[in-house]
Amino acid sequence: MASELQQEVARRRTFAIISHPDAGKTTLTEKLLLYGGAIHLAGSVKAKRARRHATSDWMELEKERGISVTSSVLQFVYRDHAVNLLDTPGHQDFSEDTYRTLAAADAAVMLIDAAKGVEPQTKKLFKVCRMRGIPIFTFVNKLDRYGRAPLELMDELEQVLGIRSYPMNWPIGMGPEFRGVYDRRANVVHVFSAEGNHGEKEVAERSVPLDSEEIHSILSEQEMAQLREDIELLDVGGDEFTREKSDAGLLTPMFFGSAMTNFGVRPFLDAFLELAPPPTARLTKDGLREPSCPKFAGFVFKIQANMDPAHRDRIAFMRVVSGRYVKGMSAHHSRLGKEVRLAKPSQFLAAERTAIEDAWPGDVIGLFDPGQYRIGDSLAEDAGVVFDTVPRFSPEYFAVVRSKDPLRRKQMEKGLEQLSEEGTVQIFQQLQMGMKDPIVGVVGALQFEVLQYRLEHEYGAKIALDRLPFSHARWVVGPNFDPKAFDWEGNRQTVQDRDGLPLVLFRDDWALQHAEQKHPELKFLNEAPQL
Ligand code: GDP
């Protein structure tokens, strides 16, 4: 008999949804929770969120900007599966956070607006999933409106993303005539009925075999003819579906539906849970750590400060990789080289934070962080486990930070330090005499606004940001590198990172290439060299 650990691993699915803003991620998330029984009427997630907006300053920014800036983790149970949905922010300027979240996922659902096709943000995120080699499932959304023809969308996936697709189901009609989807494996048509339902409840649905008499009383001759023609095209000209290709992210299983009306959500969820992999192993410096390893291990992929401004709390989000996490346990913190107690764990059940007793591979838990965690940290029952999973990104926008109120400078510095530990910004010190104001570097320009907002609202420090004309940061190693003599009039400036390592900010590609050619003895690194 399988052990409890094996059973828990087998029933888990951990994934993230990737999409361009407005494709319908919030709506789909809500509907997945609805089908998971975590909420009874879709829309309550939003209502809850709206209430929170009113009580939290931090959320205020989200409301003002109309964007989602925090990523949360939702767990729900559907049939026998424990599903962890990592909700990622969709705005392009927050993509760094999204990338990190993807490091914690075992599969991705690529959500596409049927009318818009593959959009820029989808493209970027798809690339990251590709790099990680995780399976990618495609959900084509908004079929209740007129959009592009399904075959055209398949072609676009191949042309723009370079991935072949296998439609697991096929839409019958579109817009107001969207009647249902044909399940290719089961050879049945799922017919939807919208009566009296505006997407708040699970949609009424009948499954009718395509070869039955009954189907003729449901679909018109024209609908039948069109469906048969499409299916033949797919069967003859399309790829064959294999789990191997899907698991490796080389072929994307494709689904059609409408998150708003719930059409197609259940057929998608059923097939997705069947085909998505259970929690996968993660690479450590000593090889793969399998989920079935009985010793607990996990890594921190996100840190969120001040989720509740009244309590000044900091939460470190940890993905469990192996073994069982039990409340109150201690683990070895590899970067600090000591045992730490994993305090106040919480899990995020349908948008509510709840205390948990235990967790299994694939789960994400929020640990109370007294300031001891950094993104990428490894925690394990056995010493010496170091995961190699969370990507780091080199900042592309830079500004000098000045405190508007000299008496609040200390608060500003504290805030900057905490936000840099959270991974929101990187801080650099200027090297020239008398230049005391720090430089911050960010991956997306909107993070400057977030920084300004949070310093003011969480630390009471008003700041001014003077933008600098640089777009690349490189750590420099090599003989005879003289940081003080390396500055060059607006083209490059040398600074120091938190650990005192020198790096150079370059104006543009040209300035960087120029330095690389002039100084072949030096290495210009994208990431900080290991100390
Ligand atoms: P997100 O930015 O990806 O989270 O997108 P939202 O879920 O907030 O949806 C963006 C807009 O598209 C909202 O106005 C939704 O009501 C709408 N929307 C989402 N799903 C559907 C759908 O299936 N059909 C239609 N017609 N609209 C949808």
Side-chain angles (χ1 to χ4, degrees):
M1 228 186 78
S3 69
E4 191 179 7
L5 174 59
Q6 282 166 332
Q7 285 176 18
E8 292 294 340
V9 169
R11 66 190 278 259
R12 270 174 173 68
R13 301 288 183 272
T14 301
F15 73 104
I17 300 176
I18 60 170
S19 62
H20 194 84
D22 271 352
K25 197 175 57 182
T26 312
T27 311
L28 181 65
T29 301
E30 229 169 69
K31 300 312 169 72
L32 293 176
L33 293 176
L34 173 70
Y35 278 82
I39 50 175
H40 297 299
L41 283 183
S44 50
V45 169
K46 273 217 178 97
K48 230 172 256 160
R49 241 185 248 151
R51 269 208 303 283
R52 284 201 182 155
H53 281 157
T55 55
S56 149
D57 278 350
W58 171 220
M59 298 293 170
E60 229 11 68
L61 181 69
E62 269 191 44
K63 202 170 71 179
E64 274 169 25
R65 304 285 316 212
I67 51 168
S68 153
V69 285
T70 54
S71 51
S72 50
V73 184
L74 301 168
Q75 192 182 58
F76 62 93
V77 174
Y78 178 74
R79 303 219 159 135
D80 208 24
H81 289 293
V83 187
N84 292 299
L85 168 54
L86 311 176
D87 186 19
T88 51
H91 195 282
Q92 56 180 359
D93 273 337
F94 288 89
S95 45
E96 196 184 358
D97 218 21
T98 311
Y99 292 139
R100 292 190 194 123
T101 297
L102 287 173
D106 300 309
V109 170
M110 178 164 71
L111 183 65
I112 286 178
D113 182 324
K116 294 186 180 154
V118 178
E119 297 178 85
Q121 184 73 354
T122 326
K123 221 165 122 178
K124 271 199 198 165
L125 294 165
F126 174 86
K127 270 194 199 148
V128 182
C129 295
R130 254 271 150 101
M131 253 160 47
R132 286 212 43 226
I134 58 175
I136 301 160
F137 295 75
T138 302
F139 185 86
V140 179
N141 192 27
K142 307 196 186 180
L143 264 283
D144 59 293
R145 284 199 203 151
Y146 292 110
R148 297 194 198 163
L151 283 170
E152 202 184 303
L153 287 164
M154 289 175 69
D155 195 46
E156 183 165 342
L157 292 187
E158 175 153 25
Q159 299 302 326
V160 179
L161 302 177
I163 190 164
R164 308 263 307 170
S165 49
Y166 181 91
M168 303 303 293
N169 60 33
W170 196 251
I172 298 162
M174 200 184 254
E177 292 89 44
F178 181 39
R179 307 283 313 279
V181 292
Y182 165 70
D183 182 330
R184 292 177 69 194
R185 287 187 303 172
N187 195 31
V188 297
V189 177
H190 302 295
V191 192
F192 311 128
S193 146
E195 264 164 49
N197 184 2
H198 303 284
E200 309 100 324
K201 290 182 291 198
E202 296 177 29
V203 71
E205 183 182 309
R206 279 163 70 196
S207 302
V208 184
L210 186 64
D211 303 326
S212 67
E213 277 301 313
E214 195 190 352
I215 197 76
H216 296 277
S217 64
I218 297 168
L219 300 183
S220 70
E221 283 309 308
Q222 200 190 347
E223 282 168 334
M224 287 293 289
Q226 180 71 50
L227 179 62
R228 288 201 191 282
E229 189 185 317
D230 287 347
I231 295 167
E232 196 179 318
L233 254 175
L234 293 177
D235 286 348
V236 174
D239 287 47
E240 218 178 300
F241 178 78
T242 68
R243 275 300 279 271
E244 290 71 36
K245 282 195 277 186
S246 159
D247 282 352
L250 299 173
L251 181 74
T252 176
M254 192 177 194
F255 302 83
F256 295 85
S258 153
M260 200 176 73
T261 60
N262 300 344
F263 286 14
V265 172
R266 195 199 49 79
F268 162 70
L269 190 56
D270 283 342
F272 171 72
L273 294 177
E274 178 201 331
L275 298 172
T280 50
R282 288 295 194 279
L283 198 61
T284 73
K285 68 174 176 36
D286 303 314
L288 283 178
R289 179 85 164 199
E290 296 289 343
S292 57
C293 168
K295 288 211 163 84
F296 160 81
F299 63 88
V300 174
F301 65 94
K302 177 185 169 67
I303 291 179
Q304 175 88 50
N306 304 342
M307 282 178 68
D308 179 355
H311 294 102
R312 289 268 137 157
D313 56 349
R314 245 165 74 121
I315 305 277
F317 290 87
M318 176 184 63
R319 145 101 194 201
V320 180
V321 175
S322 68
R324 176 187 193 168
Y325 166 84
V326 186
K327 185 180 162 185
M329 83 188 288
S330 295
H332 202 83
H333 187 313
S334 58
R335 183 175 53 81
L336 300 180
K338 63 171 191 186
E339 285 279 305
V340 294
R341 216 175 85 85
L342 306 179
K344 291 230 187 102
S346 49
Q347 216 165 21
F348 299 81
L349 208 68
E352 289 297 345
R353 217 193 281 182
T354 46
I356 57 153
E357 299 298 320
D358 59 4
W360 302 93
D363 288 344
V364 168
I365 52 187
L367 298 169
F368 172 75
D369 178 16
Q372 64 190 8
Y373 301 118
R374 280 195 201 169
I375 289 161
D377 277 352
S378 306
L379 296 155
E381 234 175 308
D382 40 339
V385 177
V386 179
F387 287 104
D388 176 21
T389 43
V390 183
R392 257 175 296 175
F393 296 85
S394 172
E396 290 174 15
Y397 300 89
F398 303 87
V400 174
V401 191
R402 284 185 293 111
S403 175
K404 280 192 181 162
D405 176 357
L407 298 176
R408 307 283 304 169
R409 199 184 156 89
K410 276 242 143 45
Q411 282 81 352
M412 175 188 92
E413 281 170 358
K414 178 159 184 269
L416 277 177
E417 194 184 309
Q418 293 205 351
L419 295 179
S420 91
E421 278 166 14
E422 206 182 291
T424 308
V425 295
Q426 292 193 34
I427 307 174
F428 307 114
Q429 291 305 326
Q430 308 198 61
L431 296 177
Q432 293 90 339
M433 289 279 284
M435 305 289 258
K436 285 220 187 77
D437 292 326
I439 290 178
V440 291
V442 296
V443 176
L446 194 65
Q447 276 162 310
F448 281 137
E449 259 177 69
V450 173
L451 174 71
Q452 216 154 9
Y453 187 93
R454 293 188 61 183
L455 282 178
E456 185 175 336
H457 288 82
E458 292 168 25
Y459 300 92
K462 283 201 167 137
I463 56 157
L465 289 166
D466 303 328
R467 292 285 289 269
L468 295 167
F470 306 117
S471 62
H472 301 294
R474 292 289 183 274
W475 278 264
V476 184
V477 286
N480 309 323
F481 172 60
D482 179 3
K484 293 232 161 59
F486 209 74
D487 289 359
W488 179 25
E489 301 277 305
N491 280 307
R492 58 189 195 217
Q493 179 178 346
T494 313
V495 294
Q496 243 174 25
D497 73 4
R498 281 207 286 184
D499 300 314
L501 297 173
L503 66 166
V504 178
L505 310 182
F506 292 94
R507 187 184 190 93
D508 47 28
D509 289 339
W510 177 83
L512 172 60
Q513 280 161 17
H514 183 269
E516 284 173 336
Q517 279 161 13
K518 275 264 186 205
H519 299 279
E521 78 284 6
L522 298 177
K523 276 202 197 119
F524 297 91
L525 308 171
N526 232 325
E527 272 190 28
Q530 296 295 321
L531 287 173

